[in-house]
Amino acid sequence: MSLISGTNGYTAVTDGQGYYDIKGGAVPGKYTVTVSKFVNADGTPMTVNEEDGMDFGQFEAMDMGAGAGGKDGGPKQLVPDKFTAEADSSLSVIIPDGGTHEANVDIPAE
């Protein structure tokens, strides 16, 4: 998940229940939220391994390079495109002055 507002941007990884932590916090303001969930071609979750230099941008590049959708053994993006790009996402969150521990983002079911 990414929070984007002008020049401020933050990335967080959610756990199995959808909880996330933005290390160091975020500057107060309104943010556009983008969400990604990648799985391997066999359906197992892809994980970020910072020691190997893997991040979600590389997952996206692998998805496109493999013909998208997990074809040819590449990763598959499970989240609809309308929530994965800043220009398309209708998701948002407001971080108030003083911060919050409750910045919930609901992704509508299709």
Side-chain angles (χ1 to χ4, degrees), residues 5 34 51 67 71 104-105:
S5 176
T34 62
E51 291 177 12
K71 297 177 184 175
N104 300 323
V105 177

Side-chain angles (χ1 to χ4, degrees), residues 6-94:
T7 59
N8 292 322
Y10 305 92
T11 300
V13 177
T14 59
D15 66 15
Q17 282 71 45
Y19 294 104
Y20 65 94
D21 181 28
I22 297 173
K23 304 293 183 210
V27 174
K30 183 175 181 178
Y31 292 86
T32 298
V33 177
T34 62
V35 181
S36 294
K37 180 173 176 112
F38 288 94
V39 295
N40 293 301
D42 65 2
T44 59
M46 293 189 81
T47 57
V48 172
N49 185 342
E50 293 177 6
E51 291 177 12
D52 290 340
M54 290 299 292
D55 63 23
F56 288 106
Q58 290 170 318
F59 290 167
E60 290 171 349
M62 290 168 61
D63 178 43
M64 289 184 290
K71 297 177 184 175
D72 301 323
K76 179 180 179 184
Q77 169 65 266
L78 296 182
V79 177
D81 290 345
K82 66 182 179 181
F83 301 120
T84 63
E86 179 184 5
D88 299 330
S89 181
S90 60
L91 304 174
S92 65
V93 66
I94 295 174

